[in-house]
Amino acid sequence: MKLKKNIATSESGFIFNPATGDSYSANPVGSDIILLMKDNKSIAEIKKNITSKYDVDDSQFDKDYDDLLAQLRDNNLLEH
Amino acid sequence: MKDKNKKGDRPRYTVAVTGLNAIDSPGPGMAVIRAVREAKDYDVRIIGLSYEALEPGIYLHDWVDKTYQIPYPAAGSESLFARLEYINDIEKIDVLIPNFDAELHNFIRLGEKLRKIGIATFLPAMDQFEARDKVNLYAFGQKHGLLVPADRIIYKVEDLAGTAKDFGWPIVVKGKFYEAVVAQTLEQAQKAFHKLHAKWGLPIIVQQFISGSEMNIAVLGDGKGNTISAIPMRKLYITDKGKAWAGITVEDNALIDLAKKFITATKWRGGLEIEIMLSVDGKPYIMEVNPRFPAWIYLTAGAGQNQPAALVKMALGETVEPYTTYDVGKMFIRYAWDHIVNIEEFQKISAFGEL
Amino acid sequence: MAKLKYERPVIKKLNAGLMNKFGTRTEFEPVKHIDGVAVKSLIEKYGSPVFVISERQMRRNYQNAVRSFKTRYPKVQFAWSYKTNYINAVCNVFHQEGSWGEVVSGFEYNKALRNGVPGNKIIFNGPDKSEQDLRDAIKNDSLIHIDHFDELYSLISLCETINAKPRVAIRVNMDTGIYPMWDRFGFNYENGSAWNAIQKIIGSGKLRLVGLHSHIGTFMLAPSAYSVAASKLCDLMWHCKNQHNLQLQYIDLGGGFPSQNTLKGSYLPGTDTVPSIDEFAEAITTTILNFGFKTEELPLLILETGRALIDDAGYLLGSVLANKRLADGRRATIMDFGVNIMFTSFWYDHKISPAQDFTHHTEDQVVYGPLCMNIDCIRESVSLPLLNRGDHVVVHKVGAYNMTQWMQFIAMRPNVVMIDMEQTPHLIRRAEKLDDIVSLEEMPAYLKKIDLK
């Protein structure tokens, strides 16, 4: 699952889709994951990064990661 | 608590204003800000209070120094007060001028609490505010000898026929909160009843139809029964949403007398707009009373009676003498203007609630 | 290095539409304690969901209501409305405070007697009183409020056989300018049927007419409607005195005062719009005082206030069962409590607070109950912080009607706990068990054996 190439992200959690003109804000965990996705990190790397930084176990992360992907997909921010 | 950072000899007040939605059906905020900025004897710093991220005033930095988002009225007065306390800690607001009907209930309720933290308002009392509500307006008119079209509150569609018989056709069928339909026949009235019922719930208000020409008066009362200013205006061009796109000040002593009679009867504190229908035989019927300045309020400044500027002074406890003259034949012509904004500004106000 | 607190990742579209992220600090304060007792410990000890009632809040509400009326009017009596919440411990808090009992069925009547309420301090209302109920009420000298002519005639003929003269009142319905008009209960004032009933009672010589009763509606937001009702009852009382030289003792204005819950569809929250008890007290007492009675002839004023005294003393504690995303992208949260135990979610937008810390990030969501039933929805749309499975929430103002109208449907009814004045919780109704439910059932012998091997 890859973020669309031209999506602009910022450290403060803003996401801008230049193709549609839509803006989004993400909470800190969401913003961290999206920045890692933008750096083309693998799922395993993202998971390692997040679970070592935040107090969360693997299965909770997996479930929430899938949910974030669903949110990104719903908002047309993922490559098809 | 007045900010005496004088620029020249003039004191400088911090004034917070809502209604920055200068769109096709505009809120009065920008007009109030323009008027207050033209006050002769004081300077102002303007704090915008917005509900939505796209209210144009947020981005008009020449007019609004800083804007904060505030919670919707439906969140209740407690959250509103908490937010205003936060803003006041930073900005030290002297006067707050709310401009939306829907928010007034909360601001009137909070009047005393706001005063305690140094924020002055100049608003009607709750019972004055409620007496001019459209559900109560007819009774109000009866009590004070003012002409108001007769109305009846109904709950059943069967009551339409009898009401129409008393009032004569056509009748105006109105929703509890918004919308009105002029019905010429029983079928039309029944259709309107069902539509408004589905949309706004019960009751439905049926009003006597008055034909004639529409006039509006912007009025400012001092809370003791004195009329500080009353400017009658005739709409010259009306948008499809019923808003004035252009209007002109007129000379009509009967209308000014009516405004004074209203202010004497209610001891109204603050600004208001009276919507009048002058019937064919020349009688002024009060159609609606809006408990705040109208969107065309800048015309009062243009015509020589700057109502918002006077309101700020009265809110701060100064006595203001009633105005006596104004320019007849002054017009306003509203215009639309595309303002260019960078996305960072939109993101900032959306995510952080401040700009 | 300590790890950061985790919160599930979300993105939120920024748009010109409704966004209500700011200034909502107070709306989303976590509620971790109820009367000083930790929500967490209550759930650990009594399970989830669990109803919690604050005795302190009940007594405060009662004393406040009594003060509102007694500082304005000399003779006031409250009668606890059993149907609002008839758990015995709840009733007895109000009885200890001095409240009589107000009941609408034989079941409630016997519950009040068992609680120790003297028969002559029970008001028996409602359209359904069996012959046995009437016999009991007559024997115990209770106040019988007659609802319809059939009841009136059967009471008269009953008295012919047992040689007693019970104390009665009639329930009067009337136009108070509000809608809907509750004309299904009692005798109508405007069309003369109330006066007709009064004449029948006096004419029969079998009953002692001692009072008049009305109950104009529920969740009434207009104090003025009560002054209309009070004035019509005063008018009837005046006529009894003038035309029959009969001095009635009391006027009972029933219940109907609202709590501060927010009705569905109302724009402003109940905390800002619902009139205070003082406003109702002012409307009612000035009407009676100004009617023109001599001081010694002023009637006793009875009030059957229920909801306004108990609603905000009741909380429902529950837990998040699951989070899911609906087909249209909306977030849904499934709680372990549903409309089966929170009947009032059909007409209120109940306030829900998380019971633990959270960040300012919120999501608009639908809150569902656990039932396998489409109608099981607690809030159709509410902005809440990001809740995880197992997180606890507190639902506010659920003290009225939920613990009487709850259903044993799909799940069983949970524990009810009362926190006393010293901050000690007491179990006042234990959760139902399977045995409780099946003990009522009978199995025909031929159905006992099943064989699905």
Side-chain angles (χ1 to χ4, degrees):
Chain A
M1 284 297 163
K2 277 182 131 180
L3 218 52
K4 277 187 177 165
K5 275 198 192 64
N6 53 356
I7 302 293
T9 54
S10 76
E11 295 288 332
S12 45
F14 289 118
I15 305 160
F16 176 58
N17 182 352
T20 61
D22 287 327
S23 289
Y24 303 85
S25 77
N27 65 344
V29 178
S31 172
D32 282 0
I33 296 175
I34 290 164
L35 285 172
L36 291 165
M37 289 173 76
K38 203 169 153 57
D39 282 350
N40 287 316
K41 298 283 191 258
S42 68
I43 295 181
E45 284 172 298
I46 295 173
K47 184 169 176 175
K48 201 176 147 208
N49 187 305
I50 298 294
T51 52
S52 61
K53 183 171 174 186
Y54 293 97
D55 183 17
V56 59
D57 60 45
D58 284 12
S59 67
Q60 174 81 36
F61 172 82
D62 288 344
K63 180 179 156 274
D64 291 346
Y65 178 74
D66 286 344
D67 184 58
L68 179 67
L69 288 185
Q71 294 175 57
L72 293 168
R73 197 179 305 117
D74 279 350
N75 286 290
N76 225 350
L77 295 166
L78 293 183
E79 292 284 5
H80 293 292
Chain B
M1 273 155 297
K2 283 171 206 169
D3 179 6
K4 293 286 181 188
N5 282 340
K6 288 187 182 179
K7 191 169 132 192
D9 302 337
R10 309 199 299 175
R12 184 173 158 151
Y13 304 133
T14 301
V15 179
V17 178
T18 69
L20 308 181
N21 55 330
I23 53 169
D24 63 336
S25 176
M30 292 312 296
V32 168
I33 291 168
R34 267 184 96 185
V36 169
R37 281 200 179 277
E38 285 181 16
K40 290 205 174 61
D41 33 15
Y42 56 87
D43 281 318
V44 287
R45 172 174 161 78
I46 297 292
I47 302 303
L49 303 174
S50 68
Y51 291 101
E52 296 184 355
L54 286 183
E55 292 180 27
I58 299 169
Y59 304 94
L60 299 173
H61 304 304
D62 289 346
W63 297 101
V64 181
D65 295 293
K66 174 102 196 245
T67 300
Y68 294 85
Q69 298 258 48
I70 55 172
Y72 281 97
S77 63
E78 207 186 315
S79 356
L80 175 63
F81 185 71
R83 180 64 175 163
L84 291 173
E85 259 186 320
Y86 165 82
I87 299 168
N88 193 48
D89 281 348
I90 302 166
E91 304 291 349
K92 301 277 171 273
I93 298 166
D94 294 304
V95 178
L96 192 157
I97 309 177
N99 290 302
F100 284 122
D101 294 7
E103 67 186 2
L104 283 175
H105 188 274
N106 281 341
F107 279 104
I108 293 172
R109 221 182 144 81
L110 289 178
E112 187 54 27
K113 278 175 91 175
L114 290 172
R115 200 186 58 75
K116 283 195 178 132
I117 60 168
I119 303 177
T121 54
F122 203 67
L123 297 169
M126 194 62 91
D127 53 341
Q128 298 167 339
F129 176 71
E130 272 164 9
R132 53 90 248 161
D133 190 280
K134 69 177 160 187
V135 179
N136 306 323
L137 191 60
Y138 183 66
F140 174 85
Q142 293 278 313
K143 190 171 157 196
H144 298 292
L146 296 165
L147 285 170
V148 176
D151 64 20
R152 203 162 293 165
I153 315 282
I154 65 169
Y155 293 91
K156 287 182 285 199
V157 71
E158 294 79 43
D159 292 342
L160 278 170
T163 308
K165 206 172 153 199
D166 295 345
F167 291 171
W169 294 99
I171 55 171
V172 187
V173 186
K174 296 166 97 173
K176 188 166 136 195
F177 296 115
Y178 299 104
E179 278 194 67
V181 178
V182 178
Q184 307 282 351
T185 65
L186 189 58
E187 284 84 53
Q188 285 176 9
Q190 286 165 342
K191 224 172 113 189
F193 181 100
H194 291 304
K195 190 186 115 191
L196 295 171
H197 176 195
K199 210 157 167 188
W200 304 112
L202 290 172
I204 298 292
I205 300 150
V206 179
Q207 195 178 56
Q208 184 188 0
F209 179 81
I210 309 284
S211 68
S213 60
E214 226 181 298
M215 292 284 185
N216 294 45
I217 322 174
V219 195
L220 180 63
D222 72 350
K224 296 168 199 148
N226 302 310
T227 305
I228 302 302
S229 165
I231 303 277
M233 181 276 288
R234 159 101 196 278
K235 292 178 185 175
L236 294 177
Y237 187 88
I238 296 172
T239 69
D240 53 4
K241 288 188 175 170
K243 302 290 161 184
W245 200 257
I248 186 164
T249 57
V250 295
E251 183 175 16
D252 186 334
N253 287 332
L255 292 185
I256 292 178
D257 287 346
L258 181 144
K260 286 183 174 165
K261 202 166 168 188
F262 182 94
I263 295 287
T264 313
T266 56
K267 294 198 167 57
W268 189 271
R269 213 166 99 101
L272 73 144
E273 179 190 31
I274 307 178
E275 294 181 14
I276 304 284
M277 190 66 80
L278 268 182
S279 68
V280 186
D281 53 353
K283 286 187 191 141
Y285 283 85
I286 298 181
M287 306 304 288
E288 213 161 305
V289 176
N290 299 314
R292 34 104 195 134
F293 287 134
W296 55 273
I297 194 65
Y298 184 67
L299 182 64
T300 65
Q305 299 193 0
N306 190 333
Q307 292 189 3
L311 179 138
V312 167
K313 287 170 77 172
M314 291 194 290
L316 291 169
E318 293 179 40
T319 307
V320 174
E321 289 302 316
Y323 284 103
T324 49
T325 58
Y326 62 94
D327 297 341
V328 175
K330 274 279 188 236
M331 289 173 61
F332 77 90
I333 301 166
R334 197 166 279 162
Y335 65 100
W337 174 272
D338 296 349
H339 187 65
I340 305 305
V341 173
N342 285 327
I343 183 137
E344 289 76 19
E345 296 212 322
F346 170 67
Q347 290 179 336
K348 248 171 100 179
I349 184 78
S350 303
F352 302 122
E354 294 179 21
L355 185 68
Chain C
M1 200 180 77
K3 289 186 180 182
L4 299 172
K5 186 172 158 40
Y6 175 82
E7 184 181 67
R8 64 184 150 79
V10 284
I11 61 168
K12 191 169 185 175
K13 189 168 174 179
L14 305 179
N15 58 26
L18 302 173
M19 51 182 69
N20 203 354
K21 187 157 143 187
F22 299 96
T24 50
R25 287 164 178 72
T26 56
E27 202 177 359
F28 294 138
E29 287 288 322
V31 175
K32 297 182 192 172
H33 295 86
I34 291 171
D35 278 9
V37 185
V39 167
K40 215 171 161 184
S41 72
L42 286 164
I43 288 183
E44 268 164 21
K45 186 159 182 204
Y46 299 103
S48 175
V50 56
F51 278 102
V52 175
I53 295 173
S54 158
E55 180 182 343
R56 179 181 299 276
Q57 190 60 35
M58 285 169 66
R59 291 192 189 266
R60 195 184 287 155
N61 289 344
Y62 184 86
Q63 287 158 11
N64 178 51
V66 168
R67 180 199 51 75
S68 283
F69 278 90
K70 284 209 171 155
T71 50
R72 292 178 167 89
Y73 191 80
K75 292 188 273 182
V76 180
Q77 178 62 51
F78 279 81
W80 176 242
S81 156
Y82 265 55
K83 64 180 174 294
T84 310
N85 189 323
Y86 45 56
I87 294 178
N88 290 340
V90 169
C91 297
N92 275 12
V93 169
F94 290 121
H95 294 321
Q96 276 188 353
E97 289 285 338
S99 198
W100 294 359
E102 184 266 322
V103 303
V104 291
S105 68
F107 159 73
E108 288 187 358
Y109 183 73
N110 287 307
K111 221 163 183 292
L113 285 177
R114 279 201 206 181
N115 280 337
V117 183
N120 65 359
K121 294 194 167 144
I122 300 177
I123 296 169
F124 205 148
N125 280 324
D128 175 21
K129 308 179 192 81
S130 69
E131 189 182 310
Q132 188 56 48
D133 294 338
L134 290 173
R135 284 179 189 277
D136 291 346
I138 293 167
K139 188 182 78 199
N140 296 319
D141 190 27
S142 299
L143 294 162
I144 302 169
H145 287 188
I146 302 167
D147 187 80
H148 42 77
F149 278 110
D150 287 322
E151 182 174 78
L152 174 53
Y153 286 119
S154 59
L155 196 56
I156 290 173
S157 56
L158 189 62
C159 289
E160 278 163 0
T161 63
I162 58 177
N163 192 28
K165 204 170 174 188
R167 296 188 298 157
V168 303
I170 57 161
R171 174 154 176 180
V172 182
N173 70 61
M174 58 186 74
D175 181 6
T176 57
I178 55 112
Y179 182 88
M181 179 173 141
W182 276 15
D183 56 0
R184 56 171 288 190
F185 304 110
F187 305 89
N188 185 257
Y189 171 85
E190 283 81 14
N191 72 10
S193 105
W195 183 243
N196 191 5
I198 289 173
Q199 312 256 50
K200 288 261 173 3
I201 291 171
I202 296 171
S204 76
K206 301 285 176 202
L207 311 171
R208 270 188 296 155
L209 183 68
V210 289
L212 296 167
H213 172 224
S214 77
H215 187 135
I216 57 177
T218 189
F219 215 89
M220 305 294 302
L221 294 169
S224 60
Y226 282 91
S227 52
V228 175
S231 126
K232 289 180 176 175
L233 292 189
C234 286
D235 179 63
L236 286 174
M237 186 168 150
W238 186 266
H239 274 80
C240 286
K241 171 83 179 174
N242 273 358
Q243 300 195 12
H244 296 284
N245 197 27
L246 175 67
Q247 177 65 47
L248 299 188
Q249 292 158 14
Y250 68 87
I251 278 178
D252 178 350
L253 280 168
F257 299 160
S259 69
Q260 290 197 337
N261 257 307
T262 302
L263 287 176
K264 278 187 195 296
S266 70
Y267 184 60
L268 295 170
T271 42
D272 284 334
T273 49
V274 169
S276 67
I277 287 261
D278 281 292
E279 291 172 64
F280 289 102
E282 184 67 21
I284 292 168
T285 56
T286 47
T287 304
I288 305 175
L289 288 170
N290 293 337
F291 194 82
F293 295 115
K294 290 184 205 144
T295 312
E296 65 274 18
E297 286 177 358
L298 279 174
L300 171 71
L301 172 60
I302 297 179
L303 296 148
E304 300 166 355
T305 311
R307 189 195 309 272
L309 298 182
I310 186 73
D311 216 10
D312 68 352
Y315 301 85
L316 179 59
L317 318 187
S319 311
V320 176
L321 287 180
N323 280 301
K324 61 162 63 173
R325 203 160 283 283
L326 302 175
D328 62 4
R330 272 182 311 158
R331 163 73 62 177
T333 302
I334 304 170
M335 300 291 183
D336 64 357
F337 53 87
V339 295
N340 52 328
I341 56 170
M342 230 177 77
F343 199 78
T344 51
S345 47
F346 286 124
W347 58 81
Y348 298 141
D349 282 338
H350 276 292
K351 178 176 165 181
I352 302 174
S353 304
Q356 52 280 309
D357 289 317
F358 47 82
T359 70
H360 69 278
H361 290 273
T362 61
E363 254 185 319
D364 292 332
Q365 50 196 289
V366 195
V367 179
Y368 290 122
L371 303 181
C372 205
M373 277 279 285
N374 198 40
I375 57 159
D376 190 21
C377 180
I378 302 294
R379 289 291 301 266
E380 282 107 11
S381 174
V382 59
S383 180
L384 282 176
L386 308 172
L387 296 165
N388 288 319
R389 178 179 163 83
D391 279 354
H392 300 318
V393 297
V394 175
V395 188
H396 300 260
K397 301 188 181 105
V398 298
Y401 294 102
N402 285 308
M403 282 157 264
T404 47
Q405 292 191 35
W406 53 4
M407 291 172 271
Q408 190 276 302
F409 174 63
I410 298 184
M412 285 175 290
R413 286 169 281 207
N415 281 320
V416 182
V417 173
M418 183 184 283
I419 300 176
D420 71 15
M421 304 298 282
E422 269 75 51
Q423 307 188 345
T424 307
H426 302 268
L427 184 66
I428 59 169
R429 189 182 193 275
R430 74 157 166 78
E432 288 164 346
K433 298 177 188 159
L434 181 58
D435 284 343
D436 294 328
I437 310 302
V438 297
S439 69
L440 301 170
E441 297 183 21
E442 301 283 348
M443 180 73 77
Y446 72 98
L447 288 175
K448 277 187 178 148
K449 194 165 178 292
I450 57 171
D451 185 5
L452 288 173
K453 265 173 248 161

